[in-house]
Amino acid sequence: MQTFNEQAIAQVKKVLSTSKKIVIVAHRSPDGDSIGSSIGLYHYLQKKGFEVNVCHPDPAPYFLEWMTGIDEIKNAEEHTDRVKSQIQKADLIFCLDFNTMSRTGQLADDLINANATKIVIDHHLDPSDEFDIVFSETTSCSTAQLIVDFIDALGDIELLDKNIGEALYTGIMTDSGSFRFPSVTAHTHEVIATLMKGGVQPYKVHEAVFDTNTFDKLRLRSYAINEKMEIIDEHKTAITWLNKAELERFNYVKGDTEGLVNVGLSIIGVRKSIFLMEGDGIIKISFRSKGEDNPVNVMANTYFHGGGHANASGGKWEGSMDEAIAKIKSVLPEFD
């Protein structure tokens, strides 16, 4: 709870007392944590009587459509003018699950120029100075866990209910790799117990997120594992890649490759897994690793315009898929 100290929380309460219009934003290419954090905070603030709008850069993946309140999210791809207007009118903007405005894509300039007070709640490294109030805890397994702590620090833990809890549980579960990453602590499980007391049934959330596959998604993942995964034994690394033609062949939709990078990491002897996907004129890259002595964020930052957590990072390559794979293979020896 040190992150949410009395002085900072007093400042938040003061801002809330004078805020009539609140907007919640998160990073582009949304995942379970950014969506869960946004929806959980949305339900909480609504219970407190605030006028709240959730404005995201792009649509949520289909496997989260079950979540109560997800239809309240307006994304800038489909509701450009409305999203820009809401940001301009806001008194207070909560920035969730990102450490710099650039991660919000097309919303970055609008957010930077907005007159609203900006509060960031996040667990990524090196938050920028673009925010007015900063709640950054890099040791937290997820932003959703921090939202629970935030609500608790405000003295409202009793307001947690099923809708708030299911959203936040989803964020914690997905960003912690179903509670198997090193960032999971005793406090994480204490938070989960609190959410369960509020009405969350974990098995139902797990089924809703992980047991809603389309046949095309399973065919794509099977193809990727069988045909497009390479194990580099000397560097204990799995590399998997998919180009646009392959994605189109299996009728790819956003969310179909979610978690695919973790499959490589599950192989005996593999300590790094890297997944590359062609899209939007660039090669998007996901990095995962095992062990505190085996970070991947430095590789992502140094060579692939990215970064993130020590064992879970992202990056990109502006070039061909072959060039990206060749570059990865050439720098792997530096990170053994």
Side-chain angles (χ1 to χ4, degrees):
M1 294 295 290
Q2 186 177 2
T3 300
F4 301 100
N5 60 73
E6 288 186 16
Q7 183 178 356
I9 290 298
Q11 190 178 1
V12 170
K13 289 181 177 179
K14 183 177 180 180
V15 173
L16 285 171
S17 70
T18 59
S19 297
K20 295 181 180 180
K21 297 180 182 294
I22 299 176
V23 166
I24 298 170
V25 298
H27 59 74
R28 67 177 179 270
S29 300
D31 55 13
D33 194 21
S34 65
I35 296 292
S37 298
S38 297
I39 295 299
L41 183 61
Y42 166 81
H43 285 308
Y44 162 70
L45 291 172
Q46 275 225 316
K47 288 186 86 168
K48 294 285 286 184
F50 292 102
E51 179 184 334
V52 193
N53 288 282
V54 186
C55 300
H56 283 187
D58 47 349
Y62 69 88
F63 64 84
L64 296 175
E65 290 178 354
W66 59 272
M67 197 179 295
T68 303
I70 199 165
D71 53 346
E72 297 295 333
I73 299 177
K74 303 304 177 191
N75 71 79
E77 288 187 1
E78 299 170 341
H79 307 278
T80 306
D81 292 339
R82 181 171 178 179
V83 167
K84 288 179 178 291
S85 176
Q86 296 291 357
I87 290 173
Q88 290 169 358
K89 294 177 182 177
D91 303 306
L92 173 60
I93 299 175
F94 280 96
C95 303
L96 305 184
D97 203 36
F98 62 91
N99 57 356
T100 177
M101 294 298 189
S102 63
R103 292 211 59 213
T104 63
Q106 62 179 298
L107 295 185
D109 288 341
D110 294 304
L111 290 168
I112 291 170
N113 295 325
N115 292 321
T117 299
K118 303 172 187 84
I119 299 175
V120 63
I121 304 177
D122 181 47
H123 66 137
H124 296 90
L125 297 169
D126 304 321
S128 72
D129 60 1
E130 298 163 308
F131 311 101
D132 299 302
I133 302 174
V134 176
F135 295 113
S136 175
E137 188 174 319
T138 59
T139 59
S140 177
C141 70
S142 61
T143 295
Q145 177 173 300
L146 293 176
I147 297 297
V148 178
D149 290 338
F150 178 62
I151 293 171
D152 190 12
L154 288 169
D156 288 330
I157 200 70
E158 76 281 354
L159 292 183
L160 291 178
D161 58 20
K162 183 171 176 287
N163 289 339
I164 297 172
E166 285 185 341
L168 297 177
Y169 184 94
T170 299
I172 298 169
M173 176 185 71
T174 54
D175 237 38
S176 67
S178 294
F179 310 100
R180 72 180 188 272
F181 293 161
S183 56
V184 174
T185 63
H187 179 59
T188 302
H189 290 287
E190 291 167 353
V191 166
I192 295 304
T194 299
L195 297 180
M196 291 178 68
K197 290 174 183 176
V200 174
Q201 294 178 284
Y203 77 94
K204 288 188 175 181
V205 178
H206 192 281
E207 287 177 357
V209 173
F210 295 115
D211 296 341
T212 53
N213 298 310
T214 64
F215 188 40
D216 281 330
K217 174 181 175 179
L218 294 179
R219 291 175 64 235
L220 173 64
R221 293 170 73 88
S222 297
Y223 170 80
I225 295 166
N226 191 50
E227 302 291 339
K228 303 303 297 287
M229 181 181 290
E230 178 183 356
I231 307 299
I232 304 176
D233 290 321
E234 61 267 37
H235 300 302
K236 300 178 181 179
T237 298
I239 302 178
T240 310
W241 64 94
L242 291 168
N243 60 38
K244 272 191 173 181
E246 291 164 331
L247 295 170
E248 291 171 359
R249 173 182 167 188
F250 294 100
N251 303 309
Y252 168 81
V253 296
K254 181 181 290 189
D256 279 354
T257 59
E258 185 80 17
L260 184 56
V261 66
N262 295 320
V263 175
L265 204 60
S266 71
I267 298 170
I268 294 173
V270 169
R271 299 193 71 221
K272 288 187 184 72
S273 180
I274 303 171
F275 172 62
L276 304 90
M277 184 173 73
E278 185 179 9
D280 300 331
I282 62 171
I283 306 299
K284 300 177 182 178
I285 312 175
S286 297
F287 302 84
R288 298 291 186 273
S289 65
K290 292 178 181 177
E292 295 181 1
D293 62 338
N294 187 35
V296 286
N297 57 335
V298 178
M299 184 194 301
N301 179 262
T302 305
Y303 295 107
F304 300 100
H305 307 285
H309 305 296
N311 298 112
S313 295
K316 64 180 180 180
W317 179 263
E318 296 176 350
S320 71
M321 182 68 76
D322 288 343
E323 291 170 343
I325 294 171
K327 184 64 175 180
I328 288 171
K329 290 180 177 180
S330 73
V331 302
L332 273 177
E334 296 178 34
F335 302 96
D336 283 345

